[in-house]
Amino acid sequence: MILGSLKERIDATTRGGWIRAGIWSALYIAFVIWVAWGDWASLGWLVLLPLIVDAFTTKYINYSWWRKYKESKPWLYTVLSWVDAIVFALVAVYFINLYIFQNYQIPSSSLEKTLRVGDFLYVSKMAYGARVPQTPLSMPLVQHTMPKWLGGGKSYLDKPHWEYKRLKGWTSPKKGDIVVFNFPAGDTVCTRMQNPDYYTLRYAYGETFIRQRKDIFGDIVTRPVDRRENYVKRCVGTPGDSLKIVNNTIFTKMRVESLELSEAESNEWKVEPFREGVQLNYYVQTDGHIFGAKYLDKLGISMADRIQIDATTWHFPLTQAMKEELEKNNHVLAMIVEPQERGGHVYPLGHNEWTRDNYGPIYIPRKGDKILITEENYWLYKRIAEAYEFQPMRIGEEYTFAMDYYWMMGDNRHNSADSRYWGFVPEDHIVGRPVFIWLSLDKDKHKIRWNRIGRGAKR
């Protein structure tokens, strides 16, 4: 009886139904193979393929049972139709957001003039390989906390918690790439004071004081990797690189294992040239002249960056081109770079004499690297072992790194909380690569920046 009914349904299926079933089945099979790559046990998800075919052909399972109320109970039909549409939209958005792309808004000026505050980015998850969710049960489009109008609280469930796995991408972060990643120091957060990060606050005030003053700092909460805040910076150091900063200039050299290169070549430091959008803070002394808003607009200095210290002294972030233009102004008497002491303490806190402008040298770990842990490098790599890889690390013993690591910095060098302050970015924190700007809002002038829409955001 069942087989007879099924045969009748197959015979009644239209050609269009079979075509749609074929298209969706092909997409589903490709998706499962992509997810299962290197872990072929996941091919078991193909067991759901008959349900996809049935939905477009025989419709043996009545997914639209609620439609029968259209005439008898129109109010119920309306409610259920809305529920059906909302559930479908949430599921679709959930999978697209996880595996295909994600929207991201630039919240700070750390990448000015490359990416500006108010830029909305299309971030590709597929470029570096989509990351399988570690906390899969969560509310779509909400990073870690529900909106207040939905009651607040966590937007995800701690269990189930899946191990880190990244699907196959077509590249990995390269030097010069702009990268979106989860904030490495965001594993522990003070809910009422999230900037600076918890570890900087603990260094400055002490853990006891922070826990006692909930009125200032709030509760201390922990977050899994994929629920930490999203940051966007430029990758300036990749796994296997050594890096140092001398007077705001970045130098790198790559660890070379090829016998074809001489030791001199493999140990040569390479200057990373200033990109067009790189900015430094300057003190500008004038003859008492007050810069007009139109002049500063033309120069490219945002309203938030226009700081007049006294009658003759101003403070601006400037690119090299902006600095040269300002030097032509007859009212400018002198310009000096902001002293490095203004940068505060850098990573690892309390265990070096480095500064924001003169940092390192450091080695950026590569997966599989073995390194002898000494009293000099212990504090540099301690957090990697404790917070990211959960392995013991002891002075005098070799340590093998389990992941690749990256060094991220902002183009707005003196106004960027980046790897100089919280260290390495593990590969499992990488979210994706910005592709283009789909909307740009100028908060100063309360208008849309039409000339930025559609602009690429890779470099």
Side-chain angles (χ1 to χ4, degrees):
M1 187 73 176
I2 295 178
L3 291 176
S5 174
L6 181 59
K7 184 177 184 305
E8 292 173 1
R9 289 172 178 267
I10 291 175
D11 292 339
T13 301
T14 64
R15 184 177 182 182
W18 287 112
I19 292 174
R20 289 191 295 274
I23 293 173
W24 281 102
S25 295
L27 291 173
Y28 181 71
I29 291 170
F31 176 76
V32 171
I33 292 174
W34 183 41
V35 172
W37 198 271
D39 179 21
W40 300 113
S42 299
L43 288 176
W45 285 103
L46 289 175
V47 71
L48 299 178
L49 188 58
L51 298 181
I52 295 176
V53 176
D54 174 68
F56 292 98
T57 57
T58 56
K59 299 180 181 178
Y60 204 84
I61 299 175
N62 186 12
Y63 298 99
S64 302
W65 56 270
W66 49 272
R67 296 183 185 275
K68 63 184 179 181
Y69 296 113
K70 186 173 184 178
E71 301 296 335
S72 59
K73 297 180 180 179
W75 65 270
L76 183 58
Y77 170 82
T78 300
V79 170
L80 292 176
S81 64
W82 273 102
V83 171
D84 178 75
I86 291 171
V87 169
F88 177 81
L90 287 176
V91 171
V93 167
Y94 178 79
F95 278 95
I96 291 173
N97 193 59
L98 281 178
Y99 294 106
I100 309 300
F101 73 87
Q102 177 179 334
N103 173 55
Y104 181 79
Q105 180 184 0
I106 298 296
S108 69
S109 62
S110 68
L111 280 169
E112 297 267 350
K113 301 297 183 180
T114 311
L115 295 177
R116 299 186 176 182
V117 175
D119 283 350
F120 289 78
L121 308 177
Y122 168 98
V123 178
S124 170
K125 296 287 190 75
M126 301 175 70
Y128 301 135
R131 189 178 53 186
V132 173
Q134 292 163 285
T135 51
L137 298 182
S138 64
M139 176 63 70
L141 301 180
V142 181
Q143 182 63 12
H144 50 68
T145 305
M146 297 290 285
K148 290 184 179 180
W149 59 273
L150 287 177
K154 293 194 303 186
S155 64
Y156 60 93
L157 297 181
D158 291 309
K159 295 182 179 180
H161 185 88
W162 295 346
E163 293 299 318
Y164 166 63
K165 177 186 175 183
R166 187 174 296 278
L167 306 185
K168 192 172 181 60
W170 51 74
T171 187
S172 59
K174 302 291 190 297
K175 273 192 288 190
D177 282 359
I178 295 176
V179 182
V180 176
F181 55 93
N182 295 118
F183 182 36
D187 56 338
T188 306
V189 176
C190 294
T191 54
R192 298 189 67 175
M193 188 180 292
Q194 299 187 32
N195 187 22
D197 63 85
Y198 167 75
Y199 297 99
T200 301
L201 292 173
R202 189 177 68 179
Y203 178 75
Y205 299 103
E207 185 174 1
T208 301
F209 182 75
I210 292 173
R211 291 187 180 278
Q212 290 175 344
R213 296 303 306 270
K214 287 189 176 183
D215 57 318
I216 299 175
F217 302 101
D219 294 323
I220 299 175
V221 300
T222 59
R223 291 172 180 161
V225 171
D226 59 340
R227 296 299 153 192
R228 298 170 192 173
E229 292 287 357
N230 287 328
Y231 269 39
V232 59
K233 306 289 179 185
R234 190 182 297 280
C235 177
V236 298
T238 53
D241 284 345
S242 291
L243 178 145
K244 65 180 179 179
I245 302 172
V246 180
N247 295 329
N248 293 300
T249 299
I250 298 174
F251 295 79
T252 62
K253 64 178 178 180
M254 183 171 56
R255 180 174 179 176
V256 178
E257 298 177 350
S258 171
L259 298 178
E260 298 177 0
L261 294 179
S262 68
E263 184 176 348
E265 289 174 311
S266 65
N267 289 328
E268 183 178 348
W269 287 99
K270 175 185 175 183
V271 177
E272 299 294 333
F274 271 35
R275 293 179 175 273
E276 184 178 345
V278 169
Q279 297 184 108
L280 301 176
N281 286 346
Y282 287 86
Y283 289 103
V284 180
Q285 185 180 10
T286 70
D287 57 7
H289 175 77
I290 296 178
F291 296 114
K294 289 185 178 180
Y295 175 77
L296 295 179
D297 279 344
K298 184 178 179 181
L299 200 60
I301 301 174
S302 68
M303 292 179 64
D305 292 330
R306 301 171 188 179
I307 300 175
Q308 185 173 10
I309 298 174
D310 55 39
T312 62
T313 309
W314 296 71
H315 182 270
F316 300 132
L318 302 170
T319 65
Q320 183 61 30
M322 293 164 65
K323 176 178 177 288
E324 292 173 359
E325 184 64 29
L326 194 56
E327 286 174 332
K328 297 176 183 177
N329 192 303
N330 294 328
H331 298 287
V332 174
L333 303 180
M335 298 177 66
I336 61 170
V337 175
E338 179 185 275
Q340 60 185 18
E341 290 77 13
R342 289 283 312 268
H345 298 286
V346 296
Y347 175 88
L349 294 170
H351 295 284
N352 61 64
E353 296 180 354
W354 303 336
T355 67
R356 172 196 65 186
D357 302 342
N358 289 277
Y359 191 97
I362 60 168
Y363 177 72
I364 304 170
R366 179 171 49 191
K367 183 177 180 180
D369 277 349
K370 292 183 178 181
I371 188 170
L372 178 65
I373 301 303
T374 65
E375 292 184 0
E376 288 74 25
N377 64 22
Y378 173 76
W379 293 103
L380 184 65
Y381 300 119
K382 179 175 181 286
R383 179 161 172 79
I384 286 180
E386 291 183 349
Y388 307 143
E389 300 187 354
F390 309 105
Q391 298 184 60
M393 176 183 283
R394 300 179 182 88
I395 295 175
E397 297 181 1
E398 275 195 342
Y399 183 85
T400 303
F401 294 98
M403 286 192 288
D404 285 332
Y405 290 84
Y406 299 87
W407 197 259
M408 307 289 185
M409 289 176 57
D411 288 350
N412 200 355
R413 295 283 166 80
H414 289 170
N415 295 317
S416 175
D418 51 37
S419 284
R420 293 170 293 178
Y421 295 94
W422 33 255
F424 305 98
V425 177
E427 65 172 81
D428 67 345
H429 284 56
I430 301 295
V431 173
R433 184 175 69 185
V435 178
F436 65 86
I437 300 166
W438 63 270
L439 178 65
S440 183
L441 302 178
D442 189 333
K443 67 173 185 176
D444 290 344
K445 300 179 181 179
H446 305 288
K447 67 178 185 179
I448 297 175
R449 302 188 191 102
W450 293 103
N451 63 325
R452 293 188 62 78
I453 295 177
R455 180 178 294 187
K458 293 182 180 180
R459 295 281 178 175

